[in-house]
Amino acid sequence: MSRPLVLAIETSCDETAVALLRSPREILVSEIASQIDLHRQYGGVVPEVASRNHLPKIRPLIEVALQRSGCSLHELHCVAATRGPGLLTSLLVGYSAGKALAIGLGRPFIGVNHLEGHLLSPFLQETAQPSPSVGLIVSGGHTMLVHLVGVGSYRLLGRTLDDAAGEAFDKVGKLLQLPYPGGPEIDRLAKQGDGQRFDLPRGMLKSGDYNFSFSGLKTAVRYLLPKLDGNFQVDLCASFQEAVVDVLVQKTIRAANQVGLSLVTVSGGVSANSRLRSRMTEATTAAGLDLKMATPALSTDNAAMIAYAALQRYLIGYRSDLREDADPNLKLV
Ligand code: KG4
Ligand code: ZN
């Protein structure tokens, strides 16, 4: 049998993305049409604007992806699309396009949980199959620690009780009047700053569980700002980032030790953060743990990770029921 080929579509938020992946992990193409410039003027993603813009882009993007990969539709073994979580009206565009394509081709359709896409993404460029590990997922909408038992078998260790880590980056970015999204901007500015200058709260660091809280940190920045003058921006970015990274790193290491697993993964948009990557590398090395992270390009939203999660499920015989709808609140665990 030829190596299974999957086409995947991702439209859970503001990126329209299409990828073709050939088993086991050959990314033939990973196209992303970003709408960030459109949403920047509003300081965040506007759902109505996002879904309206997915619509005219999705079909041409599928055509471009096929053309660039040199594949034809009839070579596909299955079609996949993100089912949730995300913005319903955005999800519906990609999910409906994926279903329609699968029905038209007479191929199986696989609806993918966006968070499973992130969670498995660190394995995409490895030679090993997804294996038992403790996964930290840090994105704009989610922050969670998950015990990956095997593909499709996940156990929740902890999650944020308020803001997601990426949300905290973006909100603090807004307070500092940085362009949207704040995460990459803070990462860039923090490189020139002193992360020890401002002593900011490490929410729930000593809570004894694996939950997180970032809204107190954001509020601390809000109350600190009016008291500051002169040159403080880069130091504040670095101090804020250090507080987020401290909690993420310490809780992840503790979770891996407690669950008794030697492999840690970090995924989601915030895993593109340079400080999180270096601190997590140091900490796992010191603790004698292995670490896998997706490349920064595969950390933020993309369709290659959706294709990879779909392929893992396709290979174990999973098929989606075409009567299932997109679900903005779809749970991973
Ligand atoms: O995974 P993602 O692309 O979309 C969601 O599923 O939410 O994550 C987007 C989030 C945004 O909050 C963005 O600010 C953050 O990831 N992000 C970063 C960096 N790059 C993206 N945060 C900190 N440092 C970065 N380098
Ligand atoms: Zn995401």
Side-chain angles (χ1 to χ4, degrees):
M1 190 180 106
S2 60
R3 288 155 59 204
L5 177 69
V6 51
L7 180 146
I9 301 171
E10 151 66 38
T11 62
S12 65
C13 191
D14 60 335
E15 323 274 13
T16 320
V18 176
L20 274 103
L21 181 86
R22 199 186 289 283
S23 177
R25 53 181 54 79
E26 187 189 350
I27 302 172
L28 301 181
V29 63
S30 178
E31 296 291 326
I32 303 176
S34 175
Q35 304 179 8
I36 279 190
D37 291 341
L38 213 63
H39 295 275
R40 196 163 277 146
Q41 58 184 307
Y42 306 108
V45 175
V46 182
E48 169 75 11
V49 174
S51 71
R52 275 178 189 274
N53 278 280
H54 284 306
L55 212 48
K57 278 186 186 164
I58 189 68
R59 194 175 165 159
L61 202 65
I62 293 172
E63 280 164 5
V64 164
L66 285 164
Q67 215 171 44
R68 292 199 175 145
S69 68
C71 295
S72 82
L73 279 175
H74 295 281
E75 293 172 60
L76 299 177
H77 290 71
C78 70
V79 180
T82 304
R83 184 175 170 220
L87 302 169
L88 179 62
T89 48
S90 288
L91 288 165
L92 279 173
V93 176
Y95 197 63
S96 307
K99 269 189 189 176
L101 200 53
I103 293 169
L105 293 170
R107 297 283 194 276
F109 174 72
I110 299 185
V112 175
N113 186 310
H114 181 84
L115 297 171
E116 183 176 42
H118 277 308
L119 180 65
L120 300 183
S121 63
F123 296 97
L124 179 42
Q125 288 154 321
E126 298 284 335
T127 46
Q129 284 296 99
S131 50
S133 44
V134 165
L136 173 70
I137 307 174
V138 268
S139 70
H142 296 84
T143 294
M144 54 207 295
L145 269 166
V146 176
H147 173 186
L148 187 162
V149 181
V151 172
S153 178
Y154 311 117
R155 198 166 66 84
L156 181 71
L157 300 172
R159 59 165 18 120
T160 181
L161 303 181
D162 41 57
D163 293 351
E167 193 179 351
F169 269 97
D170 297 341
K171 285 179 173 169
V172 167
K174 214 168 181 174
L175 289 173
L176 294 173
Q177 297 177 331
L178 300 175
Y180 176 83
E185 296 291 326
I186 291 178
D187 189 355
R188 187 174 56 79
L189 293 169
K191 289 194 173 100
Q192 307 145 43
D194 171 9
Q196 310 302 320
R197 175 161 165 202
F198 301 109
D199 185 21
L200 294 168
R202 270 73 173 152
M204 298 187 72
L205 184 60
K206 307 255 179 311
S207 63
D209 57 19
Y210 301 112
N211 292 327
F212 301 93
S213 167
F214 294 107
S215 74
L217 173 58
K218 168 200 67 193
T219 307
V221 172
R222 171 173 294 141
Y223 286 122
L224 182 62
L225 263 176
K227 298 178 194 153
L228 303 177
D229 54 18
N231 225 342
F232 64 81
Q233 198 184 46
V234 290
D235 292 342
L236 188 53
C237 284
S239 302
F240 161 78
Q241 182 174 273
E242 213 58 30
V244 176
V245 169
D246 253 353
V247 184
L248 293 176
V249 169
Q250 290 191 42
K251 289 217 166 184
T252 303
I253 302 285
R254 226 183 282 157
N257 286 334
Q258 199 236 328
V259 177
L261 289 169
S262 60
L263 177 60
V264 167
T265 68
V266 189
S267 59
V270 181
S271 70
N273 184 270
S274 59
R275 187 70 181 150
L276 177 59
R277 294 178 85 86
S278 63
R279 291 272 315 272
M280 195 64 92
T281 304
E282 282 164 24
T284 45
T285 305
L289 302 167
D290 292 325
L291 173 65
K292 288 186 198 298
M293 296 184 280
T295 58
L298 286 173
S299 297
T300 47
D301 287 351
N302 65 86
M305 69 181 194
I306 302 301
Y308 183 67
L311 186 62
Q312 296 303 312
R313 287 190 170 251
Y314 176 82
L315 293 172
I316 55 174
Y318 177 89
R319 306 290 183 263
S320 289
D321 183 335
L322 287 169
R323 287 167 301 185
E324 273 175 4
D325 277 330
D327 181 353
N329 301 311
L330 190 64
K331 298 274 179 284
L332 179 68
V333 277

